[in-house]
Amino acid sequence: MTKPKKIAILCNYELLPERVGGMDYFFWQFDSKCKASNIQVDWFFPNISNHGRYTDLTIYASETERVEPHFLEFCEHNKIDYSYIITHFVELCTPFFKKVKQFSNAKIIAVDHNPRPLNGYPLAKKIKKRIKGLLYAQYIDTFIGVSDYTKKELIKDFGSPIKNKIQLIYNGIDIDAIQVRAERNQSKPSFLTASHLRESKGIQDLIQAVYVLPEEIKAEIVIDLYGDGPFRNQLEDQVTSLALGNCFNFMGSISNLKTIYCEYDYLIHPSYEETFCYTVVEALAANTKVITTNEGGNVLGIIKHLDNGFLFEAKNIAQLSSLITQIWIGKLKITKETRTDIEKRFSLQKMVDNHYKLIH
């Protein structure tokens, strides 16, 4: 009789009821699919939460920011024979992977969700990553890139010897939960942004772009900012100092963002760095059009300029301001339906099935 498989999944991903995103839905459905096949999954997160379907998961919380040391200690005390060890949001090619292989025969699968800086890493960090690749990539059996961009960056980071170990599995979204916008305003449209508020998301550039808009547009335009994070105070201070309080609403984090996209005509996503951008994909699934950067939200190659959205160079405030102006007055518009393409390419079920194939 074949012994049931046991899997450990490590995620440096804080479970927050006010931030339920695509990865949460993936975790829940992947766990359910494994259980249906009598595969035990032990989850290692920084914390425990009872929102959504997390009560169904077997979670061993580290209660600290990083789960790697906690997992090593757990394995030392419990001597569990895992078949696979999968990591999400964990730094790649570190001594941790060597330590795991010293006591476990499990196959290690490392999923790369980590964004890269707009202008690449400094030379010293590039060298350090190559050295780490030489030392520790051998202990990772499979690397998973969530986009073509991620696959290329993995090779740049850790060297060409890992090329044959990399597989591409796109992230997926729960498209049925995303409501669709049927009609939209062709002039004076509504705008939102939705992201973690940190400097690399480029919201400060959007604020500056609004500041240089013509006065008659500034008198009417309103952009709702969804999300929270360490950069929020700086962004609020910037809005205040530029007297743009009537132009921006800080909405905070909400758990039902999937039902909100359809209330807006355009998503503005001025990010400098992304691996897989749930915000852009979900907005397109709602048939909400997207204004984003070449370097950031378009790493999946989803947006084609003037076809299904608008692209501008990251940090190019004048270019973004010009786009907003032309969209506001109705000179530029997108009428193409975008939901169908997203449904075909980025379904949550396809993501779950492809990850399940790795262990089955």
Side-chain angles (χ1 to χ4, degrees), residues 102-322:
Q102 288 173 343
F103 65 80
S104 175
N105 292 319
K107 290 189 178 298
I108 296 180
I109 300 169
V111 185
D112 183 13
H113 302 276
N114 304 319
R116 273 71 174 180
L118 176 61
N119 297 314
Y121 293 113
L123 179 60
K125 190 160 187 176
K126 288 180 181 178
I127 294 172
K128 185 177 180 180
K129 281 186 170 291
R130 281 301 178 96
I131 293 172
K132 287 167 65 179
L134 289 170
L135 293 175
Y136 303 116
Q138 60 187 300
Y139 302 107
I140 298 174
D141 296 281
T142 304
F143 293 84
I144 301 298
V146 298
S147 65
D148 292 306
Y149 164 85
T150 312
K151 285 182 64 176
K152 294 174 185 175
E153 292 299 309
L154 277 167
I155 296 169
K156 283 172 60 177
D157 287 349
F158 302 115
S160 56
I162 74 166
K163 184 176 181 180
N164 293 332
K165 289 184 172 186
I166 303 174
Q167 295 188 37
L168 171 63
I169 299 179
Y170 286 123
N171 285 346
I173 62 171
D174 185 10
I175 198 160
D176 292 336
I178 300 175
Q179 298 180 18
V180 184
R181 185 173 184 85
E183 298 181 2
R184 61 192 59 258
N185 300 310
Q186 297 302 328
S187 63
K188 298 185 179 182
S190 54
F191 299 94
L192 84 152
T193 71
S195 71
H196 186 57
L197 300 185
R198 61 175 185 262
E199 188 173 8
S200 63
K201 294 299 183 179
I203 306 298
Q204 65 275 11
D205 297 341
L206 172 58
I207 295 171
Q208 200 66 39
V210 170
Y211 178 68
V212 298
L213 288 172
E215 291 298 325
E216 62 272 20
I217 298 179
K218 278 198 289 185
E220 295 187 77
I221 193 171
V222 176
I223 301 174
D224 291 338
L225 306 179
Y226 290 91
D228 215 331
F231 209 55
R232 177 167 178 162
N233 288 340
Q234 290 94 320
L235 295 174
E236 289 179 332
D237 289 345
Q238 183 184 6
V239 167
T240 301
S241 67
L242 296 177
L244 296 175
N246 292 331
C247 299
F248 291 96
N249 294 321
F250 286 84
M251 311 296 287
S253 294
I254 61 171
S255 59
N256 63 331
L257 191 59
K258 289 180 174 59
T259 66
I260 299 296
Y261 292 111
C262 65
E263 298 178 7
Y264 296 86
D265 296 304
Y266 287 92
L267 168 82
I268 305 177
H269 191 70
S271 178
Y272 303 162
E273 54 180 33
E274 298 286 349
T275 49
F276 180 97
C277 187
Y278 274 104
T279 300
V280 167
V281 177
E282 290 176 346
L284 291 172
N287 214 24
T288 296
K289 307 315 177 190
V290 172
I291 307 164
T292 190
T293 57
N294 279 308
E295 293 82 359
N298 201 39
V299 294
L300 296 170
I302 297 174
I303 304 298
K304 307 298 182 186
H305 187 56
L306 302 179
D307 176 52
N308 64 344
F310 300 104
L311 296 173
F312 66 97
E313 296 174 6
K315 299 188 178 184
N316 192 326
I317 291 166
Q319 192 178 23
L320 175 55
S321 186
S322 175

Side-chain angles (χ1 to χ4, degrees), residues 73-92:
E73 184 178 340
F74 177 90
C75 290
E76 182 180 350
H77 283 91
N78 294 278
K79 311 297 183 185
I80 297 178
D81 184 20
Y82 289 114
S83 306
Y84 292 87
I85 297 170
I86 304 171
T87 68
H88 295 270
F89 305 102
V90 168
E91 185 180 354
L92 306 183

